[in-house]
Amino acid sequence: MHRRQKTLLAALLGPLLLLGTACGAGDTGARTDAGTLPAGVASARFRHPGVLVGGAQLAAVRRHVEAGEEPWASAYRAMSGSPYASLGYVPHPAKVVACASGAGTDACVAEREDAIAAYTHALMWSVSGRAAHAAKAVEIMDAWSATVKEHTRDDADLQTAWSGSSWARAAEITHAGYPAWGGPAVQRFKWMLRKAYLPDVTAKVPDYNGNWELAMTDAAIGMAVFLEDRTVFEDAVRRFRARVPAYFYLSSDGALPKPPPGGTIDTPDELATYWFGQRTYADGLGQETCRNLMHIGYSLAATAHIAETAWHQGLDLYREEAERIGAALEFHARYQLGATPPKWLCGGRIERTMGPDVEVALNHLEGRMGMRLPQTEKLAASQRPGGTDDLFVAWETLTHASNPTPA
């Protein structure tokens, strides 16, 4: 299991056919122009399901799988063969989830895995139509909502970000089309998100490594949609608009990267330290490139997740940062695929540890906007069928590979 540590400045310097008409399941999946969506503000009403995946996308997945088409058929087989998809899966809820930096309790791993399992069963139900999978997703979510009270210790913000993002996706799909989960059980789950997750994922972490705030915002925007909370949604959009330009560099930003929003890091030396010793900045470079590509992958995935959820709610955040996201994808895909880094980049050393993190962004930028991202295409193809990182990325070849259905 991968673990991340936050970095403070002081340390640095010292179904879905089952969902049917309501979800647009009859859509053909034809390419659309991103420009047809309104910019700036979301739709007046929340659309369901609409956290990372929409009804039209899920219906397209089901059609592809039923037809045995690739890469969806292989991706579905991989998911259905995973322990997460077992109908015998047993959740392990905990009252207190205490996650210290680099060493947490068993509950930390159990929570992340149970949240992914709930999402996996929601997807299994949406594709196969087997109600037993929806019931299993409900069983897992009910077990946690009846038990968990709080998250503690250093990694509470990141832990709630990872698990909370999967909880929101699982709940959104299940609640949108499985009427057996309703009433008090759903309200209890919503209360769980509000009390045990939202306070952590909306905390201020300006000088931490940027993957923290992006993952937290991913969870927050997903919860906002499921909870139909406009205030939380708008706050997540503000955080996206502030953090993404401060994490991925473009030459149009100026000679130096934008400082982390709301933080204390702003001098050239402080920024170089924050960017892990990097002093030469090129289009697409990320704040954690010289740390490793694993954390860059998390940030690319979270950035795309936020924008994708906003897209399903009628807000085109992709268009606002398409150049930046595209540059970041191509820059890092090239090195993940094995290109030799120049000496000016991270001293000529790149740690190639990126996971299955590019499908969502690739699907939108190429499939909906028509951008050409050859390195990212090659990387995605080499990773298919993308599985899960056991944190907050799961089954994105299945849900988003060549699936540019409209919101």
Side-chain angles (χ1 to χ4, degrees), residues 2-16:
H2 299 304
R3 297 187 294 266
R4 242 75 68 232
Q5 296 183 9
K6 59 193 174 189
T7 305
L8 295 169
L9 176 59
L12 283 167
L13 300 177
L16 241 224

PDB file of all heavy atoms in Angstrom, residues 2-16:
ATOM      1  N   HIS A   2       0.635   2.139  -0.916  1.00  0.00           N
ATOM      2  CA  HIS A   2       1.424   3.355  -0.973  1.00  0.00           C
ATOM      3  C   HIS A   2       1.052   4.284   0.167  1.00  0.00           C
ATOM      4  O   HIS A   2      -0.083   4.344   0.607  1.00  0.00           O
ATOM      5  CB  HIS A   2       1.169   4.087  -2.298  1.00  0.00           C
ATOM      6  CG  HIS A   2       1.547   3.279  -3.479  1.00  0.00           C
ATOM      7  ND1 HIS A   2       2.787   2.757  -3.654  1.00  0.00           N
ATOM      8  CD2 HIS A   2       0.817   2.890  -4.549  1.00  0.00           C
ATOM      9  CE1 HIS A   2       2.825   2.096  -4.791  1.00  0.00           C
ATOM     10  NE2 HIS A   2       1.644   2.153  -5.334  1.00  0.00           N
ATOM     11  N   ARG A   3       2.021   5.072   0.658  1.00  0.00           N
ATOM     12  CA  ARG A   3       1.742   6.069   1.677  1.00  0.00           C
ATOM     13  C   ARG A   3       2.377   7.384   1.255  1.00  0.00           C
ATOM     14  O   ARG A   3       3.427   7.422   0.646  1.00  0.00           O
ATOM     15  CB  ARG A   3       2.311   5.636   3.042  1.00  0.00           C
ATOM     16  CG  ARG A   3       1.674   4.377   3.571  1.00  0.00           C
ATOM     17  CD  ARG A   3       2.148   4.112   4.979  1.00  0.00           C
ATOM     18  NE  ARG A   3       3.554   3.809   5.029  1.00  0.00           N
ATOM     19  CZ  ARG A   3       4.042   2.580   5.001  1.00  0.00           C
ATOM     20  NH1 ARG A   3       3.228   1.550   4.916  1.00  0.00           N
ATOM     21  NH2 ARG A   3       5.338   2.364   5.057  1.00  0.00           N
ATOM     22  N   ARG A   4       1.720   8.479   1.606  1.00  0.00           N
ATOM     23  CA  ARG A   4       2.227   9.794   1.299  1.00  0.00           C
ATOM     24  C   ARG A   4       2.490  10.576   2.556  1.00  0.00           C
ATOM     25  O   ARG A   4       1.822  10.393   3.560  1.00  0.00           O
ATOM     26  CB  ARG A   4       1.192  10.591   0.490  1.00  0.00           C
ATOM     27  CG  ARG A   4       1.682  10.955  -0.856  1.00  0.00           C
ATOM     28  CD  ARG A   4       1.677   9.785  -1.739  1.00  0.00           C
ATOM     29  NE  ARG A   4       0.362   9.381  -2.007  1.00  0.00           N
ATOM     30  CZ  ARG A   4      -0.022   8.137  -1.825  1.00  0.00           C
ATOM     31  NH1 ARG A   4       0.740   7.235  -1.352  1.00  0.00           N
ATOM     32  NH2 ARG A   4      -1.215   7.789  -2.161  1.00  0.00           N
ATOM     33  N   GLN A   5       3.457  11.464   2.544  1.00  0.00           N
ATOM     34  CA  GLN A   5       3.681  12.351   3.670  1.00  0.00           C
ATOM     35  C   GLN A   5       3.537  13.782   3.205  1.00  0.00           C
ATOM     36  O   GLN A   5       4.005  14.156   2.152  1.00  0.00           O
ATOM     37  CB  GLN A   5       5.089  12.155   4.255  1.00  0.00           C
ATOM     38  CG  GLN A   5       5.321  10.770   4.842  1.00  0.00           C
ATOM     39  CD  GLN A   5       6.690  10.656   5.474  1.00  0.00           C
ATOM     40  OE1 GLN A   5       7.390  11.638   5.615  1.00  0.00           O
ATOM     41  NE2 GLN A   5       7.066   9.460   5.839  1.00  0.00           N
ATOM     42  N   LYS A   6       2.907  14.581   4.031  1.00  0.00           N
ATOM     43  CA  LYS A   6       2.766  15.993   3.716  1.00  0.00           C
ATOM     44  C   LYS A   6       4.091  16.701   3.924  1.00  0.00           C
ATOM     45  O   LYS A   6       4.928  16.281   4.686  1.00  0.00           O
ATOM     46  CB  LYS A   6       1.677  16.617   4.595  1.00  0.00           C
ATOM     47  CG  LYS A   6       1.947  16.504   6.070  1.00  0.00           C
ATOM     48  CD  LYS A   6       0.700  16.849   6.852  1.00  0.00           C
ATOM     49  CE  LYS A   6       0.908  16.587   8.340  1.00  0.00           C
ATOM     50  NZ  LYS A   6      -0.295  16.694   9.116  1.00  0.00           N
ATOM     51  N   THR A   7       4.270  17.830   3.243  1.00  0.00           N
ATOM     52  CA  THR A   7       5.512  18.574   3.366  1.00  0.00           C
ATOM     53  C   THR A   7       5.194  20.018   3.668  1.00  0.00           C
ATOM     54  O   THR A   7       4.684  20.723   2.825  1.00  0.00           O
ATOM     55  CB  THR A   7       6.331  18.495   2.053  1.00  0.00           C
ATOM     56  OG1 THR A   7       6.529  17.132   1.728  1.00  0.00           O
ATOM     57  CG2 THR A   7       7.681  19.168   2.229  1.00  0.00           C
ATOM     58  N   LEU A   8       5.479  20.465   4.860  1.00  0.00           N
ATOM     59  CA  LEU A   8       5.314  21.849   5.253  1.00  0.00           C
ATOM     60  C   LEU A   8       6.548  22.647   4.868  1.00  0.00           C
ATOM     61  O   LEU A   8       7.636  22.092   4.725  1.00  0.00           O
ATOM     62  CB  LEU A   8       5.090  21.948   6.767  1.00  0.00           C
ATOM     63  CG  LEU A   8       3.801  21.310   7.296  1.00  0.00           C
ATOM     64  CD1 LEU A   8       3.833  21.248   8.812  1.00  0.00           C
ATOM     65  CD2 LEU A   8       2.609  22.101   6.834  1.00  0.00           C
ATOM     66  N   LEU A   9       6.385  23.933   4.743  1.00  0.00           N
ATOM     67  CA  LEU A   9       7.520  24.781   4.388  1.00  0.00           C
ATOM     68  C   LEU A   9       8.656  24.652   5.388  1.00  0.00           C
ATOM     69  O   LEU A   9       9.823  24.602   5.010  1.00  0.00           O
ATOM     70  CB  LEU A   9       7.076  26.251   4.310  1.00  0.00           C
ATOM     71  CG  LEU A   9       8.195  27.262   4.028  1.00  0.00           C
ATOM     72  CD1 LEU A   9       8.868  26.930   2.704  1.00  0.00           C
ATOM     73  CD2 LEU A   9       7.646  28.665   4.024  1.00  0.00           C
ATOM     74  N   ALA A  10       8.322  24.544   6.666  1.00  0.00           N
ATOM     75  CA  ALA A  10       9.376  24.437   7.672  1.00  0.00           C
ATOM     76  C   ALA A  10      10.220  23.203   7.425  1.00  0.00           C
ATOM     77  O   ALA A  10      11.451  23.235   7.555  1.00  0.00           O
ATOM     78  CB  ALA A  10       8.774  24.379   9.067  1.00  0.00           C
ATOM     79  N   ALA A  11       9.570  22.086   7.068  1.00  0.00           N
ATOM     80  CA  ALA A  11      10.312  20.868   6.800  1.00  0.00           C
ATOM     81  C   ALA A  11      11.095  20.985   5.511  1.00  0.00           C
ATOM     82  O   ALA A  11      12.211  20.469   5.397  1.00  0.00           O
ATOM     83  CB  ALA A  11       9.355  19.678   6.712  1.00  0.00           C
ATOM     84  N   LEU A  12      10.528  21.654   4.539  1.00  0.00           N
ATOM     85  CA  LEU A  12      11.227  21.828   3.270  1.00  0.00           C
ATOM     86  C   LEU A  12      12.480  22.652   3.442  1.00  0.00           C
ATOM     87  O   LEU A  12      13.506  22.374   2.826  1.00  0.00           O
ATOM     88  CB  LEU A  12      10.307  22.517   2.258  1.00  0.00           C
ATOM     89  CG  LEU A  12       9.220  21.643   1.620  1.00  0.00           C
ATOM     90  CD1 LEU A  12       8.225  22.518   0.902  1.00  0.00           C
ATOM     91  CD2 LEU A  12       9.843  20.652   0.680  1.00  0.00           C
ATOM     92  N   LEU A  13      12.312  23.702   4.211  1.00  0.00           N
ATOM     93  CA  LEU A  13      13.457  24.588   4.415  1.00  0.00           C
ATOM     94  C   LEU A  13      14.269  24.081   5.568  1.00  0.00           C
ATOM     95  O   LEU A  13      15.372  24.464   5.731  1.00  0.00           O
ATOM     96  CB  LEU A  13      12.997  26.024   4.675  1.00  0.00           C
ATOM     97  CG  LEU A  13      12.177  26.636   3.546  1.00  0.00           C
ATOM     98  CD1 LEU A  13      11.715  28.026   3.939  1.00  0.00           C
ATOM     99  CD2 LEU A  13      13.013  26.695   2.288  1.00  0.00           C
ATOM    100  N   GLY A  14      13.919  23.282   6.310  1.00  0.00           N
ATOM    101  CA  GLY A  14      14.648  22.603   7.408  1.00  0.00           C
ATOM    102  C   GLY A  14      14.088  21.149   7.231  1.00  0.00           C
ATOM    103  O   GLY A  14      14.581  20.358   7.550  1.00  0.00           O
ATOM    104  N   PRO A  15     -26.207   1.874 -13.125  1.00  0.00           N
ATOM    105  CA  PRO A  15     -26.441   1.099 -14.401  1.00  0.00           C
ATOM    106  C   PRO A  15     -26.963   1.988 -15.412  1.00  0.00           C
ATOM    107  O   PRO A  15     -27.985   2.357 -15.276  1.00  0.00           O
ATOM    108  CB  PRO A  15     -27.563   0.101 -14.150  1.00  0.00           C
ATOM    109  CG  PRO A  15     -28.005   0.478 -12.833  1.00  0.00           C
ATOM    110  CD  PRO A  15     -27.107   1.345 -12.211  1.00  0.00           C
ATOM    111  N   LEU A  16     -25.513   1.918 -17.280  1.00  0.00           N
ATOM    112  CA  LEU A  16     -26.622   2.087 -16.489  1.00  0.00           C
ATOM    113  C   LEU A  16     -27.943   2.133 -17.261  1.00  0.00           C
ATOM    114  O   LEU A  16     -28.550   3.151 -17.460  1.00  0.00           O
ATOM    115  CB  LEU A  16     -26.441   3.269 -15.696  1.00  0.00           C
ATOM    116  CG  LEU A  16     -26.417   3.165 -14.238  1.00  0.00           C
ATOM    117  CD1 LEU A  16     -27.166   4.162 -13.623  1.00  0.00           C
ATOM    118  CD2 LEU A  16     -25.724   2.192 -13.576  1.00  0.00           C
TER     119      LEU A  16
END
